[in-house]
Amino acid sequence: MITDKLTVTHQFLEELAQHAGKAHFMPSDEIGQALQCLETQGIPNSKNESYKYCNIEAILRKNFKTISGKEQVVSFSEIKKQYAVQEAYNLFIVNGHICTDELEVSSAIKASPIQEISKEISAAHLAQYAKSNTDPMIALNAAYADRGFFLRISQTLDKPLIIHHINSLEGNLFFNTRNLFVIEKNTEAQITEFYYSSNENSFRNTVTEIFVDTQAHIQHVIAQNTGAHNYLFANTQVHQEKQSTYTNHTYTFSGALVRNNLKLDLNGEYTESHLYGLFITQQQQLVDNHTEVNHLKPNGQSNELYKGVVAEKSTAVFNGRIFVERHAQKTNAYQSSKNILLSNDAVVNAKPELEIYANDVKCSHGTSTGKVDENALFYLKARGIGEENARKLLLHAFAYEILEKLPTPFTKEKISTWVDEVLR
Amino acid sequence: MLSIKNLRAEINGKEILKGINLNVKAGEVHAIMGPNGSGKSTLSAVLAGREEYNVTAGDVLFNEKNLLELAPEDRAREGIFLAFQYPIEIPGVSNINFLRTALNEIRHYHGLPDIEAKDFLALVKEKQKLVELDSKLANRSVNEGFSGGEKKRNEIFQMAMLEPKLSILDETDSGLDIDALRIVASGVNKLKTKNNATIVITHYQRLLDYIVPDFVHILYNGQIVKSGGKELALEMEEKGYDEIKKQAV
């Protein structure tokens, strides 16, 4: 079997080598190490524990045996007209490439193509938080990412920053994007990333490394609505310094496959982290959320709540890992996942994992999967509300607990519309 | 308005209602009293259309329609309102949104268009005042974080908004202090007209000091064993249910 897997890997890498770019901005020893990791581990399939329900190898073998296609040219002014949000700073990323007429979005925000980062930034941050040896998909990205952007927030933002991810690919493409966010000391920012839908059959393997410096406070929203034929692998690896706050909101509405790997390293004392997730899946979708919170220093706090509505023949995975290092005393870590199944063919696999080596900590986790509450349904019906509207109201109520955590009114409104659309 | 004939119902194979007969006319207030486990709440659940209960025999006519054939939402649209003993909390759905949805669905059923926004708001204001409900509560999520008394008051507010023909108050007095009880009862009394009717289900006579019934029925072991005027409630309060239990044996 191992040879088979490696054969698939080799064939795929050959295809990539011919049709995809290379991560020229990566230090060459990093690329070498990445290729070596791929060589030994291969592209993950269901035999890898953390890819049990998410067989990437099979997807690539089936849908991306050949990679061909092109990027449609899009007009920047059109994009701006369609997506720009008045009350925010806007950054447009088309097929992973930064697309803007001015790279200084504001004096507090610097954005540039990842290829143009300085040696200092590269040495300090690149491939420091997302390590090739931890995951073959990260290795694949380190070797083949040929696009992406660097974002630096150096002062507190007076408006939220919205990053619009637009896909204008045609054909059958697999591409790797590599992003790096550096959030400097004592800053506050709200960053929202919207992934818009497209009809194409593409596979995007994204790695975003985020460095949150001392006393920085960040709200980071990732909302994915990529369309029924798209495959999205989103690897978000966060490194927090002391007394910082990082709050992640991950929303997944559509996509043939969406895999979110969210890893937080709480690498300073008194850090605070919040992880909120909502996924609504249907048809034959697979949405796989893997989160990992690593408490590495004392007095850290993390709080996680993921909710899912799983319909039709779709499958959802929630795998939440909390790790508390031996020295990370006085850690508070909470985790909860709640799911509603809307059909007999829908499947949820929810798995909390706790690994605790410190003795003075408070940790808890809980998971539940069920159907719409019959008592609540009857209550609504007894007021004259029909089955369909009653269910819809209750699903909205279920989603609301996550939605209400969203930081900015525009983001809340936009994501609520997506919730409405998908629950319709 | 409502005519129940020989109604029998069971849950999980256990018969709870064993032949109920009851007639309610417009303008009347009926009280149904009885000890715990006599079938009071089952009767209200069966009338509202709770699916867990199995009706095994009998007929229920509501304004000439066969009630038992209707889905719960259609019963509500026809004008039946059940004030729940334990109102459900629905976080994330505002009371106002919930009531607008309900009111519009009822209107659609009767061939009417959606209510105009300003008419709806005026209605909310008027009814809120009638049942002395804090406007803050009306704007909150349905029953979320409400005290026991606030929940019951919210039930009466919903009743005021939906203007049912027949209201069934299921143990509305349970868990209420005397002030809350008075407010709830006064709301019910204000909503009373010659065209609507009320069934008050209660264990204690206390509520009937405030909502004065025209008829009192004693339910025991799934049957109405005694009926009378409002004095029957006082009699029960004095003597307790023991005599009824003895007679039944």
Side-chain angles (χ1 to χ4, degrees):
Chain A
M1 275 323 271
I2 286 171
T3 24
D4 277 0
K5 182 170 163 181
L6 282 178
T7 313
V8 173
T9 303
H10 286 144
Q11 281 168 355
F12 180 69
L13 293 183
E14 228 165 80
E15 187 69 23
L16 264 188
Q18 271 184 36
H19 297 281
K22 275 243 158 62
H24 295 300
F25 56 90
M26 274 286 169
S28 57
D29 54 340
E30 181 63 33
I31 296 182
Q33 204 205 349
L35 288 170
Q36 196 155 17
C37 289
L38 281 170
E39 183 63 36
T40 50
Q41 295 178 43
I43 303 227
N45 63 19
S46 47
K47 291 199 183 66
N48 300 53
E49 183 59 28
S50 73
Y51 288 87
K52 200 168 163 188
Y53 305 102
C54 185
N55 191 338
I56 303 281
E57 185 213 24
I59 290 165
L60 294 180
R61 195 175 48 209
K62 196 167 154 234
N63 301 300
F64 296 89
K65 199 161 188 177
T66 56
I67 301 168
S68 69
K70 60 172 195 237
E71 294 175 28
Q72 231 178 359
V73 181
V74 288
S75 126
F76 180 52
S77 61
E78 281 297 314
I79 286 178
K80 234 171 149 177
K81 215 191 290 171
Q82 194 179 345
Y83 296 106
V85 178
Q86 279 264 308
E87 60 269 33
Y89 297 111
N90 293 277
L91 196 61
F92 302 94
I93 309 293
V94 178
N95 308 326
H97 299 293
I98 197 162
C99 173
T100 173
D101 41 11
E102 57 213 79
L103 286 180
E104 287 281 334
V105 183
S106 91
S107 60
I109 305 169
K110 183 189 187 302
S112 73
I114 191 79
Q115 291 88 344
E116 293 172 18
I117 56 169
S118 70
K119 278 208 177 92
E120 293 73 35
I121 293 284
S122 173
H125 301 294
L126 200 61
Q128 295 301 307
Y129 319 122
K131 303 264 192 201
S132 286
N133 58 8
T134 59
D135 190 317
M137 294 305 282
I138 293 179
L140 195 61
N141 185 284
Y144 290 101
D146 60 347
R147 60 193 76 197
F149 66 100
F150 167 63
L151 176 74
R152 181 159 73 193
I153 309 283
S154 52
Q155 288 164 41
T156 292
L157 300 188
D158 56 341
K159 289 191 285 188
L161 169 65
I162 299 185
I163 301 170
H164 307 268
H165 291 275
I166 295 139
N167 190 338
S168 78
L169 295 167
E170 263 182 0
N172 212 35
L173 280 173
F174 180 97
F175 64 108
N176 293 280
T177 55
R178 185 82 177 200
N179 308 320
L180 172 64
F181 298 1
V182 172
I183 318 291
E184 295 191 349
K185 275 180 193 157
N186 303 314
T187 54
E188 280 178 40
Q190 296 173 352
I191 302 170
T192 296
E193 295 189 78
F194 286 121
Y195 284 86
Y196 301 112
S197 71
S198 83
N199 294 321
E200 296 305 321
N201 180 35
S202 67
F203 194 125
R204 180 201 302 248
N205 180 28
T206 296
V207 172
T208 303
E209 293 180 277
I210 303 178
F211 175 76
V212 184
D213 209 342
T214 306
Q215 289 186 351
H217 304 286
I218 297 302
Q219 295 268 357
H220 183 200
V221 182
I222 302 173
Q224 303 153 335
N225 199 359
T226 57
H229 308 291
N230 275 281
Y231 300 82
L232 174 63
F233 197 109
N235 231 310
T236 308
Q237 312 269 316
V238 183
H239 176 102
Q240 281 184 255
E241 285 294 318
K242 67 173 187 240
Q243 293 164 20
S244 65
T245 312
Y246 174 82
T247 302
N248 181 287
H249 311 253
T250 296
Y251 287 80
T252 307
F253 298 109
S254 71
L257 160 82
V258 177
R259 164 77 177 227
N260 290 306
N261 276 10
L262 173 63
K263 187 189 86 176
L264 272 54
D265 286 337
L266 282 65
N267 200 42
E269 280 203 55
Y270 296 99
T271 49
E272 195 179 321
S273 316
H274 303 271
L275 301 85
Y276 302 112
L278 176 70
F279 45 91
I280 304 175
T281 62
Q282 50 200 336
Q283 296 169 3
Q284 303 207 1
Q285 277 178 12
L286 170 64
V287 172
D288 186 341
N289 282 296
H290 268 64
T291 67
E292 189 179 330
V293 179
N294 296 315
H295 284 270
L296 306 173
K297 294 280 159 66
N299 296 302
Q301 274 202 50
S302 69
N303 176 33
E304 176 167 20
L305 176 60
Y306 265 67
K307 282 188 157 188
V309 176
V310 185
E312 298 176 0
K313 292 184 169 180
S314 62
T315 304
V317 181
F318 171 78
N319 191 107
R321 182 165 188 264
I322 296 173
F323 174 88
V324 183
E325 221 258 347
R326 195 160 57 91
H327 303 291
Q329 299 293 6
K330 309 273 181 205
T331 286
N332 285 339
Y334 303 102
Q335 182 195 91
S336 164
S337 90
K338 297 174 187 169
N339 304 289
I340 290 186
L341 289 172
L342 293 187
S343 89
N344 290 333
D345 296 323
V347 179
V348 170
N349 298 294
K351 187 177 165 206
E353 290 177 25
L354 265 63
E355 208 175 317
I356 299 168
Y357 296 100
N359 52 23
D360 185 12
V361 300
K362 281 183 194 155
C363 285
S364 75
H365 67 89
T367 177
S368 69
T369 298
K371 300 195 163 174
V372 174
D373 180 358
E374 290 293 329
N375 287 325
L377 204 57
F378 180 70
Y379 187 65
L380 296 180
K381 286 182 183 174
R383 296 296 174 258
I385 300 175
E387 174 91 24
E388 204 190 320
N389 268 337
R391 277 185 188 278
K392 221 186 283 174
L393 271 176
L394 292 177
L395 291 176
H396 272 276
F398 179 75
Y400 180 79
E401 197 185 349
I402 305 292
L403 282 169
E404 69 167 352
K405 309 281 198 243
L406 283 168
T408 52
F410 174 81
T411 303
K412 197 182 261 178
E413 211 172 286
K414 176 93 186 166
I415 294 178
S416 300
T417 338
W418 282 356
V419 171
D420 286 349
E421 278 168 15
V422 69
L423 287 181
R424 188 166 293 153
Chain B
M1 179 181 282
L2 181 76
S3 152
I4 303 176
K5 283 195 190 104
N6 187 34
L7 181 65
R8 289 173 172 267
E10 52 143 59
I11 186 164
N12 302 329
K14 187 171 184 263
E15 188 169 54
I16 312 279
L17 300 183
K18 299 171 181 170
I20 302 261
N21 293 292
L22 180 68
N23 280 299
V24 177
K25 294 198 188 78
E28 293 177 349
V29 176
H30 289 245
I32 295 177
M33 299 180 71
N36 289 332
S38 58
K40 299 190 302 284
S41 285
T42 301
L43 178 61
S44 62
V46 167
L47 291 178
R50 187 107 218 191
E51 277 118 1
E52 294 95 293
Y53 294 93
N54 230 338
V55 173
T56 51
D59 291 309
V60 180
L61 286 180
F62 178 62
N63 289 328
E64 315 305 316
K65 284 204 170 107
N66 183 351
L67 192 72
L68 299 176
E69 278 180 356
L70 297 176
E73 57 269 35
D74 285 339
R75 298 181 194 199
R77 294 162 181 169
E78 287 286 346
I80 295 226
F81 181 93
L82 171 65
F84 282 59
Q85 184 178 3
Y86 303 108
I88 311 290
E89 293 191 18
I90 313 177
V93 175
S94 78
N95 245 329
I96 294 299
N97 190 15
F98 163 60
L99 279 170
R100 188 187 291 120
T101 309
L103 196 60
N104 281 333
E105 288 215 20
I106 293 171
R107 287 172 65 93
H108 296 168
Y109 183 79
H110 295 286
L112 296 168
D114 280 358
I115 187 168
E116 296 277 340
K118 73 169 179 359
D119 296 345
F120 178 73
L121 288 178
L123 193 67
V124 167
K125 232 177 190 174
E126 179 202 327
K127 303 296 184 181
Q128 226 166 264
K129 223 167 127 189
L130 191 81
V131 300
E132 299 175 47
L133 186 82
D134 194 325
S135 62
K136 266 185 253 145
L137 291 184
N139 288 310
R140 287 236 307 261
S141 291
V142 180
N143 295 324
E144 190 191 12
F146 286 25
S147 70
E150 286 167 342
K151 280 182 183 165
K152 296 296 170 74
R153 218 181 297 174
N154 197 25
E155 292 292 286
I156 305 305
F157 172 56
Q158 292 173 23
M159 176 176 146
M161 288 292 296
L162 303 179
E163 299 180 333
K165 296 188 184 104
L166 174 68
S167 303
I168 303 163
L169 311 181
D170 186 11
E171 308 254 2
T172 294
D173 50 338
S174 71
L176 290 192
D177 62 30
I178 203 76
D179 292 328
L181 187 70
R182 205 155 38 211
I183 292 171
V184 164
S186 119
V188 172
N189 288 331
K190 283 183 209 160
L191 295 170
K192 191 182 158 191
T193 71
K194 65 181 187 333
N195 299 318
N196 63 24
T198 311
I199 297 176
V200 182
I201 291 174
T202 183
H203 185 91
Y204 303 104
Q205 192 271 337
R206 193 176 68 150
L207 179 64
L208 304 179
D209 286 339
Y210 299 95
I211 304 173
V212 181
D214 301 303
F215 302 95
V216 174
H217 310 278
I218 309 302
L219 187 65
Y220 180 68
N221 197 19
Q223 286 181 318
I224 290 178
V225 293
K226 202 169 186 184
S227 294
K230 62 176 183 244
E231 63 290 343
L232 180 58
L234 290 169
E235 193 186 308
M236 282 299 127
E237 181 77 359
E238 235 169 75
K239 298 184 184 161
Y241 292 113
D242 284 350
E243 200 176 321
I244 295 284
K245 289 181 188 171
K246 267 184 228 147
Q247 282 170 10
V249 172

